[in-house]
Amino acid sequence: MAEQEQDAYVRFADIRKSYDGETLVVKNLNLDIERGEFLTMLGPSGSGKTTCLMMLAGFETATHGEIYLDGTPINHVAPHKRDIGMVFQNYALFPHMTVAENLMFPLKVRGISSTEAKSKAEKVLDMVGLDGFSNRRPAQLSGGQQQRVAVARALVFEPKLVLMDEPLGALDKQLREQMQFEIKHIHENLGVTVVYVTHDQSEALTMSNRIAVFSEGVIQQLATPDELYEQPSNAFVAQFIGENNRLCGTITETDGDESVTVRTDTGAVVRALPVNVDGIGSKTTLSLRPERVVVEPEPGNFPNVFDAQVMELIYLGDHIRTRINIAGHDDFVIKIPNTHTATRNLKPGMQIKVGWHINDCRALDA
Ligand code: ADP
């Protein structure tokens, strides 16, 4: 633990923020970001992500607490002295300057000679795949190209930390996905620390080493992408990341840390993994990923087996998205791989059996 503390490159320590002196939009945030890490702040609009980024950049001040950069408290360090690169959704390139001039600007203000600035600008332009575009003005570039220049400008002075706030929000889906990989590769090649803000979960899963899931100014869970998806620690995270079936019920039996028995509101009895629950009699939300439900399970292998009725089938190539009615819930979704022999004969109205393992059904907060 002590070693980890020393390693933190960015540290938010007990950070609170209120704009109006009443409501806290960031509530006692504690977060350590490691050197070289790609950390994403993910959450719905208004959850406090941008406010955290702005405090780290120095454009907003914390109401309480301290932010450390490489061990140094920075609450009173001016933004331009923090040496942090920044990329925003709206590019913010200087329209009257050429691409090269835009890139040389942050170097000139740092007192770097024109010759050196020029060579650094060319190098970084090459890195974002825009060599040959030096003499264009921003208006002569597409949205994707402008955003590449914005990324290049954030990197050109070789900052150790780069902040990105929804940088791909204005781009169409295909370009956005391409840029996600490009930014990820630049991060890997340069070893720079990146703090990235997005409300798009697939973007966060694609790019990040770790993701901090925000809701109402509080980090709900901080984990790697696979951990977040496989082991959500509360109902908010389970619902926000990926698709999820929810069954509400009450705990009727417990078996230590191994399992709980839950009677759902429609009377089904389900065994689940206790993750974030109290004892017998308490309410819980069961969370179950659609791809973890098995159709026509082999008898004996599954502690949870239910009769279900097929309501709707949607062919999606690699899998069949199937809505079933199970114990009175008709919005239960399962994904059946297209290799499964059973999928070939499924029709709406058919009765089937489905099953799942205890560990795939997480008992979370109500
Ligand atoms: P996110 O980035 O997750 O969308 P923000 O940090 O932008 O969230 O906003 C968090 C909350 O703070 C929101 O309720 C928002 O309305 C409020 N807020 C953000 N910036 C300001 C500001 N400059 N003045 C007053 N309230 C603000």
Side-chain angles (χ1 to χ4, degrees):
M1 190 64 199
E3 194 178 315
Q4 208 178 2
E5 281 179 14
Q6 276 176 4
D7 264 3
Y9 185 59
V10 174
R11 165 168 292 176
F12 289 86
D14 297 325
I15 291 293
R16 290 178 214 155
K17 173 68 182 177
S18 174
Y19 287 104
D20 59 8
E22 277 179 31
T23 342
L24 287 177
V25 299
V26 176
K27 298 169 189 158
N28 228 46
L29 184 89
N30 285 288
L31 172 63
D32 280 3
I33 301 170
E34 285 167 35
R35 197 180 297 273
E37 186 169 25
F38 194 119
L39 182 126
T40 297
M41 296 176 170
L42 171 70
S45 174
S47 57
K49 310 175 301 285
T50 296
T51 299
C52 289
L53 208 68
M54 289 299 130
M55 289 190 286
L56 179 52
F59 298 128
E60 287 293 349
T61 51
T63 309
H64 178 272
E66 184 71 63
I67 300 178
Y68 298 85
L69 183 57
D70 206 6
T72 308
I74 55 167
N75 281 15
H76 299 291
V77 177
H80 68 279
K81 296 218 166 120
R82 298 187 184 194
D83 232 20
I84 297 176
M86 266 173 284
V87 190
F88 301 102
Q89 179 172 335
N90 58 3
Y91 323 129
L93 299 173
F94 299 117
H96 59 288
M97 291 185 188
T98 64
V99 167
E101 285 162 353
N102 263 285
L103 295 178
M104 286 159 68
F105 182 79
L107 298 170
K108 286 200 169 150
V109 297
R110 286 173 173 78
I112 290 168
S113 75
S114 287
T115 335
E116 198 185 339
K118 201 153 182 260
S119 113
K120 278 184 194 282
E122 273 167 20
K123 213 170 107 194
V124 78
L125 211 49
D126 187 36
M127 192 165 68
V128 297
L130 282 182
D131 46 335
F133 286 76
S134 314
N135 294 323
R136 301 256 187 117
R137 283 181 202 282
Q140 297 171 303
L141 301 174
S142 71
Q145 290 167 337
Q146 290 183 47
Q147 196 53 302
R148 284 203 175 86
V149 177
V151 170
R153 193 178 56 177
L155 295 168
V156 72
F157 60 95
E158 293 163 21
K160 297 232 166 46
L161 176 62
V162 178
L163 311 184
M164 301 194 185
D165 192 350
E166 302 267 3
L168 309 180
L171 307 179
D172 66 45
K173 185 169 181 289
Q174 205 176 352
L175 193 55
R176 205 162 62 217
E177 285 171 1
Q178 186 190 337
M179 290 286 291
Q180 287 169 10
F181 283 108
E182 285 182 22
I183 292 175
K184 186 180 158 89
H185 293 151
I186 289 172
H187 165 255
E188 285 163 2
N189 292 337
L190 297 182
V192 57
T193 308
V194 176
V195 184
Y196 194 97
V197 162
T198 183
H199 64 275
D200 179 338
Q201 49 135 330
S202 81
E203 188 156 298
L205 293 174
T206 303
M207 304 176 81
S208 322
N209 297 123
R210 285 192 305 164
I211 300 171
V213 181
F214 276 68
S215 171
E216 298 184 354
V218 175
I219 294 181
Q220 302 291 320
Q221 189 170 358
L222 171 65
T224 59
D226 62 311
E227 220 177 309
L228 270 190
Y229 185 84
E230 302 288 349
Q231 297 163 32
S233 61
N234 63 37
F236 177 84
V237 175
Q239 198 61 20
F240 196 72
I241 312 270
E243 212 178 353
N244 180 46
N245 289 300
R246 293 208 287 185
L247 299 172
C248 299
T250 307
I251 296 176
T252 58
E253 269 178 62
T254 63
D255 176 15
D257 296 341
E258 302 281 307
S259 75
V260 286
T261 305
V262 173
R263 178 175 291 276
T264 71
D265 294 350
T266 56
V269 176
V270 182
R271 288 182 65 203
L273 182 73
V275 177
N276 188 354
V277 285
D278 296 323
I280 293 172
S282 59
K283 295 270 181 203
T284 180
T285 306
L286 298 177
S287 156
L288 181 61
R289 298 290 185 201
E291 69 274 20
R292 292 300 160 85
V293 179
V294 177
V295 177
E296 301 300 337
E298 278 184 41
N301 285 346
F302 290 81
N304 293 298
V305 177
F306 296 91
D307 290 317
Q309 185 178 24
V310 176
M311 307 297 289
E312 192 178 7
L313 295 158
I314 300 172
Y315 178 80
L316 287 171
D318 61 336
H319 73 274
I320 317 290
R321 193 182 149 80
T322 309
R323 189 162 62 79
I324 59 176
N325 183 319
I326 179 168
H329 298 269
D330 67 358
D331 55 354
F332 200 96
V333 172
I334 63 178
K335 290 181 182 170
I336 310 174
N338 199 6
T339 51
H340 199 288
T341 42
T343 59
R344 309 241 151 79
N345 309 317
L346 284 184
K347 300 265 181 309
M350 274 171 82
Q351 291 291 329
I352 56 172
K353 282 200 187 302
V354 295
W356 58 83
H357 291 296
I358 290 175
N359 285 354
D360 288 330
C361 185
R362 300 170 70 78
L364 304 172
D365 49 304

